[in-house]
């Protein structure tokens, strides 16, 4: 039964021209990959991703990234936050990774202190807030298309009043803005506790 | 023609193409009012200040609404791929968009086919796409900030979110090393203007100038102050200034505008842009004489 299913999948890969992830076919060039434990999940995920208007393709994962099954979904890595959101409730997956290497997302942040403000930097994204009020006075950096929108949404609002970018946005820049926001909130709450204790 | 392409954070803005004008506090393109906020709008605003001051043709723009899903970005890529040759741009500046490798490859192929190849400039995610597509060497100018030069220096990073920890933690005094690495990786344009605590200008692998005065650290907080540098640089190149001189003037002008605006971390980019004409009036002639 499994062999018959796998043969069908291989035929589909061959007919659509898909080979190993990283190759260019059908006008879509991937730089990220979603890894699955179970073959059926990869097929289900491809339908879900395409159903949400994103480009993807079924591929055989490179050996170094192979975890459970011989089928993966190649994606545009920059859309990782949106992919996580649409897949998380629908189909179990193991990882979303860059195709080249197995680099993890940058986890650390930098903090810069000014007289009345604090700037937190996560990768290419920065949030600056007012120490007294906890209001966001600026966001800067980045290059993906949700960043100018989030800038307008965040300006003048309290750190605790804005939505987490990972819940509403689409791209890796937004995910880094999310990291910065988490750190800002953590710093802000710590300062409130110190101030009031 | 200076052609600037990028997204605008208005979800339902269709693709628009045309000459940009000022309309009160807004930018206006074919009757569409666009707020000059962080991103491509700030870039265009700064370019428009340069063209107004020099009394040359204003920027021509290709814009579309996009709040992250990439729909507007795709419209822009496809419009440029189909129409760039007939637009006859002398300078093409690519800015905020969803980085889509295959579309960037198609676009650069069209640039190569243009009768007179435009000066090709990229900032923001257009620069990320150019690197990811392995096409950085096809570009004339990139304008990365400190984290983005670390991204260009990192051969494994597909996006700045994946730069290695040691490169992210690199002290700003070591930016020159990152510039060398970026060139060694073939991930740099012919000219780099690296924006930061100290702005560096590098040409074909060598640092040729740096700018660190006036020193206004607060500018880093202000969303859009990198965009204004790229906008000015694009406009000065369009006006015929050599790339190196245009880069130097733009880096200096941004700092002086910050000084005049008495920039603090809560300053908005529009407040700096407002001072650009005054900066040009006070400084441009002497900067041109000295370079």
């Amino acid at each position: 039964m499994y062999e018959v299913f796998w043969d069908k999948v291989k035929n589909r890969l061959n007919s659509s021209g898909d080979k190993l992830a990283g190759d260019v076919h059908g006008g879509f060039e991937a730089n990220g990959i979603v890894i699955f434990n179970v073959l059926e999940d990869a097929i289900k995920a491809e339908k879900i991703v395409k159903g949400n208007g994103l480009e993807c393709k079924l591929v055989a994962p490179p050996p170094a990234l192979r975890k459970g099954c011989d089928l993966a979904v190649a994606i545009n890595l920059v859309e990782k936050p949106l992919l996580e959101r649409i897949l998380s409730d629908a189909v179990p997956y193991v990882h979303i990774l860059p195709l080249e290497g197995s680099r993890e997302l940058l986890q650390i942040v930098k903090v810069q202190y000014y007289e009345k403000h604090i700037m937190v930097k996560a990768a290419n994204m920065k949030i600056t807030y007012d120490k007294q009020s906890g209001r966001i006075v600026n966001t800067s950096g980045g290059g993906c298309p949700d960043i100018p929108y989030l800038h307008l949404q965040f300006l003048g609002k309290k750190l605790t009043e804005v939505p987490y970018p990972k819940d509403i946005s689409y791209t890796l820049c937004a995910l880094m803005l999310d990291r910065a926001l988490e750190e800002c909130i953590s710093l802000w709450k710590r300062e409130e506790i110190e101030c009031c204790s | 023609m200076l052609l600037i392409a990028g997204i605008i954070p208005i979800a339902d803005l269709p693709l628009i193409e045309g000459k940009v004008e000022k309309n009160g506090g807004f930018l206006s393109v074919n009757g569409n009012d666009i707020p000059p906020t962080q991103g491509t709008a700030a870039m265009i605003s700064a370019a428009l200040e340069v063209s107004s001051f020099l009394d040359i043709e204003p920027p021509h723009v290709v814009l579309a609404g996009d709040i992250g899903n990439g729909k507007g970005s795709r419209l822009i890529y496809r419009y440029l791929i189909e129409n760039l040759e007939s637009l006859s741009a002398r300078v093409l500046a690519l800015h905020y968009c969803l980085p889509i490798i295959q579309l960037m490859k198609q676009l650069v192929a069209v640039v190569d086919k243009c009768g007179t190849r435009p000066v090709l400039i990229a900032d923001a995610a257009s620069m990320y796409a150019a690197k990811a597509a392995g096409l950085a060497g096809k570009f004339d100018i990139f304008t990365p900030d400190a984290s983005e030069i670390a991204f260009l220096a990192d051969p494994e990073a597909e996006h700045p979110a994946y730069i290695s920890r040691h490169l992210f933690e690199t002290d700003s005094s070591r930016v020159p090393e990152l510039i060398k690495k970026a060139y060694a990786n073939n991930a740099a344009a012919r000219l780099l203007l690296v924006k930061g605590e100290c702005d560096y200008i590098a040409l074909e692998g060598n640092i040729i100038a740096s700018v660190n005065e006036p020193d206004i650290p607060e500018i880093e907080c202000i969303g859009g102050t990198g965009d204004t540098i790229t906008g000015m640089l694009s406009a000065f190149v369009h006006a015929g200034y050599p790339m190196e001189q245009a880069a130097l003037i733009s880096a200096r002008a941004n700092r002086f505008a910050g000084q005049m605006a008495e920039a603090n971390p809560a300053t908005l980019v529009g407040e700096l842009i407002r001072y650009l004409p005054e900066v040009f009036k006070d400084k441009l002639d002497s900067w041109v004489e000295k370079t």
Side-chain angles (χ1 to χ4, degrees):
Chain A
M1 179 67 183
Y2 178 84
E3 284 75 11
V4 172
F5 180 67
W6 180 228
D7 284 344
K8 281 184 183 171
V9 169
K10 280 194 287 191
N11 285 337
R12 187 167 161 195
L13 289 179
N14 290 336
S15 64
S16 66
D18 287 344
K19 294 179 185 171
L20 277 175
D23 293 345
V24 186
H25 295 283
F28 174 59
E29 190 163 344
N31 60 352
I33 195 163
V34 191
I35 306 290
F36 299 89
N37 275 323
V38 182
L39 198 95
E40 290 89 333
D41 288 340
I43 293 171
K44 189 176 170 190
E46 185 217 18
K47 284 185 185 159
I48 293 168
V49 173
K50 285 189 170 163
N52 277 272
L54 303 184
E55 290 180 289
C56 71
K57 64 185 175 183
L58 283 171
V59 294
L65 298 181
R66 197 163 294 178
K67 299 286 182 193
C69 79
D70 290 335
L71 200 58
V73 174
I75 48 127
N76 184 353
L77 186 65
V78 78
E79 295 173 322
K80 177 179 158 87
L82 176 60
L83 286 158
E84 284 175 338
R85 213 158 54 235
I86 62 180
L87 291 179
S88 62
D89 293 333
V91 55
Y93 62 90
V94 182
H95 288 303
I96 298 179
L97 295 168
L99 258 177
E100 301 291 331
S102 53
R103 182 74 63 75
E104 293 290 329
L105 279 167
L106 192 65
Q107 301 292 333
I108 54 165
V109 297
K110 288 180 182 172
V111 181
Q112 178 101 27
Y113 293 88
Y114 297 90
E115 191 186 345
K116 294 178 182 169
H117 301 89
I118 293 177
M119 178 177 74
V120 174
K121 185 173 181 177
N124 55 338
M125 294 308 312
K126 293 159 250 184
I127 297 179
T128 304
Y129 70 93
D130 183 294
K131 284 184 204 174
Q132 286 249 309
S133 66
R135 287 192 188 280
I136 297 169
V137 298
N138 251 310
T139 69
S140 58
C144 289
D146 33 14
I147 296 310
Y149 175 74
L150 290 168
H151 175 78
L152 293 174
Q153 298 301 309
F154 278 24
L155 277 186
K157 299 214 174 84
K158 286 193 82 164
L159 290 165
T160 47
E161 288 171 354
V162 295
Y164 281 100
K166 72 179 174 194
D167 294 335
I168 60 164
S169 291
Y170 304 82
T171 70
L172 287 170
C173 284
L175 199 56
M176 290 300 101
L177 194 69
D178 193 272
R179 283 270 146 80
L181 178 63
E182 273 185 6
E183 183 65 20
C184 287
I185 291 172
S186 165
L187 283 170
W188 165 245
K189 287 188 172 167
R190 213 178 305 154
E191 281 182 16
E192 268 194 329
I193 291 166
E194 283 172 10
C195 163
C196 301
S197 59
Chain B
M1 174 198 292
L2 163 59
L3 184 60
I4 297 175
I7 65 91
I8 296 295
I10 301 171
D12 57 357
L13 182 73
L15 186 126
I16 52 175
E17 184 244 307
K19 192 174 68 174
V20 64
E21 298 170 327
K22 269 193 201 175
N23 182 16
F26 288 81
L27 298 170
S28 178
V29 184
N30 299 342
N32 297 279
D33 285 341
I34 294 159
T37 55
Q38 185 256 7
T40 301
M43 181 198 181
I44 295 166
S45 299
L48 187 56
E49 293 297 347
V50 173
S51 61
S52 301
F53 184 81
L54 298 176
D55 195 20
I56 58 171
E57 179 194 8
H60 203 89
V61 296
V62 176
L63 308 173
D66 195 333
I67 60 168
N69 59 18
K71 285 181 186 165
S73 301
R74 286 185 172 84
L75 290 175
I76 293 168
Y77 279 116
R78 291 192 177 117
Y79 186 85
L80 290 174
I81 289 163
E82 286 167 16
N83 297 286
L84 184 64
E85 283 183 89
S86 62
L87 287 168
S88 303
R90 216 175 74 70
V91 178
L92 173 60
L94 305 172
H95 208 228
Y96 272 75
C97 68
L98 191 72
I100 303 173
I101 294 172
Q102 72 275 15
L103 292 178
M104 180 56 82
K105 284 185 173 175
Q106 288 173 30
L107 175 55
V108 172
V110 172
V111 170
D112 284 339
K113 282 199 296 183
C114 286
T116 304
R117 194 181 194 278
V119 176
L120 193 52
I121 299 172
D123 184 42
S126 291
M127 181 172 64
Y128 309 167
K131 183 210 173 190
L135 293 171
K138 294 269 189 183
F139 282 72
D140 297 289
I141 302 175
F142 281 173
T143 50
D145 66 13
S147 63
E148 289 168 337
I149 190 61
F151 158 67
L152 297 176
D154 187 337
E156 283 188 35
E158 291 283 345
H159 182 279
Y162 283 96
I163 52 178
S164 77
R165 182 182 176 138
H166 84 275
L167 289 176
F168 179 66
E169 289 180 324
T170 298
D171 184 76
S172 60
S173 65
R174 293 177 63 198
V175 166
E177 289 172 40
L178 299 180
I179 291 172
K180 280 187 184 160
K181 281 184 182 169
Y183 278 105
N185 292 343
N186 294 319
R190 200 154 80 80
L191 183 135
L192 293 179
L193 167 50
V194 184
K195 306 167 285 197
E197 196 177 317
C198 175
D199 303 317
Y200 290 96
I201 297 158
L203 183 67
E204 294 171 350
N206 299 306
I207 293 174
I208 55 169
S210 61
V211 180
N212 52 19
E213 293 293 335
D215 181 23
I216 306 168
E218 293 81 2
I219 285 182
E220 189 181 0
C221 303
I222 302 170
T225 47
D227 307 321
T228 52
I229 291 185
T230 311
M232 285 188 277
L233 172 51
S234 304
F236 280 117
V237 170
H238 176 237
Y241 289 63
M243 292 196 306
E244 306 90 308
Q245 190 181 49
L248 200 50
I249 290 168
S250 305
R252 285 171 171 164
N254 217 47
R255 288 168 179 266
F256 277 94
Q259 188 180 54
M260 285 184 179
E262 298 179 0
N264 68 71
T267 300
L268 297 179
V269 70
E271 297 170 55
L272 267 75
I273 293 170
R274 214 172 53 210
Y275 283 97
L276 289 177
E278 204 172 327
V279 173
F280 300 148
K281 192 177 162 200
D282 287 355
K283 305 281 184 186
L284 187 58
D285 285 347
S286 66
W287 288 339
V288 170
E289 275 173 27
K290 285 177 190 166
T291 53

